[in-house]
Amino acid sequence: MSKTFKIGGIHPNDSKLTAGKEIIWLEQPQKVQMMLYQQIGAPSICIVKVGDKLKKGQLIAEDGSFVSACQHAPISGTVTKIEKIRNTQGWYGEAVTIEADPDRGDDFMEASNPRTQDQVDALSIKEIIDIVDSHGVVGLGGATFPTRVKLLPPEGSKPEVVIINGVECEPYLTCDDALMRRYPNEIVKGVELLMKVVNVRKGVIAIEDNKPEAIKVMRKAVEGRDDIKVVSLKKKYPQGGEKQLIAAVLGKEVKSGALPVSTGAVVNNVATVYTIFEAVYNDRPLIERVVTVTGPSLTNPGNFLVTLGTPIRTLIEAAGGLPEDTGKVIAGGPMMGKAVVNIDAPTTKGLSGILVLPESESHRKKELPCIRCANCVNVCPMGLEPYLISLLAKKHNWEDCEKGYVMNCIECGSCSYICSSHRPLLDYIKLGKQTVAGIIRERNNQK
């Protein structure tokens, strides 16, 4: 019987319209815009200027701090602008515009010299971490946490296992599924690198059971091995959350305020693992990723390999163009994604999907009084009381919000999804989290 986590969770229609579709390479654009803030932490620091000639893969921005990431030129060309542009949510951020140079083609900064297996085996742990850092690798499951930081567990922690997140529990998204079906052996090599770096002898690749082909090919890739295994999990949202995944695979709960590594587990998304493989074996920085472009009315939904910096509009056009009945475009999935207000914004490292919803599915229903059904409590995967926390936040009772563990919320949206009164529970909880986080920072600064 497939495993799953025990506390809360929901079972939305998975709507995997692009399941089984192979990865399609989207032609390299003539112009890209690379945002300097594509990761959790500090923005990257630009090191190029207008007029600079760049080769594909060349460093254009360095780490802004320990928690930050490098950025690289996704195409060969000339820097034409360095200015603030609007991202998908409409916020302005610094970006480097690069226009393609026809006579440079697809060349890299240096001649491509893939490492042999012997060369990879000879790399030290520090050398591997340095490669991951210098190649701009971040978590590709949506959080965009700099991977280098994850590979350096806090002093005193004792990792015992690496868990590879191939769950992809968000409805509609299939980019990770497509990646596993296409590159199973490369992903396994990436797992080996992770195991070496965090010094563990056990790896687990976790996949929900609605991806039978991915499970099949990944199991074939680890056939005969005792150190890496593939685990099938029952379909349940939000199983892709680190804490829920650890609970499902290991049966351990991450205590409030503790890091996931406190359970002995280091978790990485499967796309991140593939990117680590590309960086270490093929010396390729993170300049492209697989993005699912989907929606009920799209004529050609699919999983596209996209050059970073490509306009969102181009992705939608590749999927058949914006349907006439479009009511909303979402970056990510329907549960944790965010509405797109600017489809001319560029593709970034954290973009796993573009969901185009019709008008009929794009509006909230009328909010009604709470009927005290407690469904939001039953489905909360963190064991919280969403109805209460949202009310406290609405009334600006920040002290009780903090006491109600608002900071433990993972913003999965299960409470809003299940609410029969259509109350915007998560909206107020997010407000509470942001405000309480600021209060905590101010309190800590005064100590």
Side-chain angles (χ1 to χ4, degrees), residues 379-397:
V379 302
C380 179
M382 296 304 296
L384 304 177
E385 297 177 293
Y387 76 92
L388 177 59
I389 299 172
S390 63
L391 181 61
L392 292 170
K394 186 176 182 180
K395 293 182 177 295
H396 293 189
N397 186 342

Side-chain angles (χ1 to χ4, degrees), residues 186-317:
E186 291 83 351
I187 289 169
V188 171
K189 286 184 179 294
V191 178
E192 292 171 348
L193 289 168
L194 283 175
M195 292 169 64
K196 176 178 179 177
V197 169
V198 298
N199 193 27
V200 300
R201 297 182 179 180
K202 182 181 178 183
V204 177
I205 302 171
I207 311 171
E208 283 193 339
D209 58 15
N210 61 347
K211 303 171 186 63
E213 185 61 26
I215 292 172
K216 178 182 176 181
V217 298
M218 291 307 307
R219 280 183 171 160
K220 183 176 176 61
V222 300
E223 197 171 17
R225 303 185 64 143
D226 295 324
D227 56 340
I228 303 175
K229 66 177 181 178
V230 175
V231 173
S232 172
L233 301 179
K234 182 179 178 181
K235 185 183 77 171
K236 191 177 181 183
Y237 179 87
Q239 199 154 227
E242 271 190 309
K243 296 178 181 180
Q244 287 66 43
L245 186 56
I246 290 170
V249 174
L250 303 180
K252 295 180 179 180
E253 299 295 332
V254 180
K255 295 180 180 179
S256 178
L259 294 172
V261 73
S262 64
T263 64
V266 174
V267 182
N268 275 276
N269 173 266
V270 70
T272 310
V273 174
Y274 176 73
T275 305
I276 291 171
F277 162 82
E278 284 280 79
V280 175
Y281 277 85
N282 296 325
D283 200 26
R284 290 181 64 91
L286 178 49
I287 55 175
E288 60 188 16
R289 68 156 299 154
V290 180
V291 180
T292 299
V293 186
T294 184
S297 300
L298 285 176
T299 58
N300 185 38
N303 301 302
F304 299 93
L305 181 61
V306 182
T307 301
L308 297 184
T310 302
I312 301 298
R313 184 185 297 276
T314 303
L315 277 63
I316 296 173
E317 288 172 353

Side-chain angles (χ1 to χ4, degrees), residues 80-157:
T80 57
K81 292 179 182 178
I82 301 174
E83 60 181 355
K84 288 186 176 181
I85 65 170
R86 290 201 308 158
N87 66 11
T88 52
Q89 273 71 62
W91 298 103
Y92 281 89
E94 203 80 15
V96 177
T97 299
I98 306 169
E99 296 194 15
D101 193 344
D103 63 354
R104 287 180 182 266
D106 251 8
D107 61 339
F108 270 79
M109 182 176 60
E110 297 175 356
S112 179
N113 289 308
R115 294 181 177 89
T116 64
Q117 187 63 58
D118 286 343
Q119 289 173 323
V120 171
D121 291 342
L123 291 172
S124 68
I125 289 175
K126 183 181 183 304
E127 286 172 328
I128 295 172
I129 293 175
D130 287 345
I131 291 170
V132 169
D133 179 27
S134 64
H135 286 61
V137 182
V138 300
L140 298 185
T144 64
F145 193 77
T147 302
R148 174 266 314 268
V149 181
K150 264 199 174 182
L151 300 183
L152 294 167
E155 191 173 342
S157 60

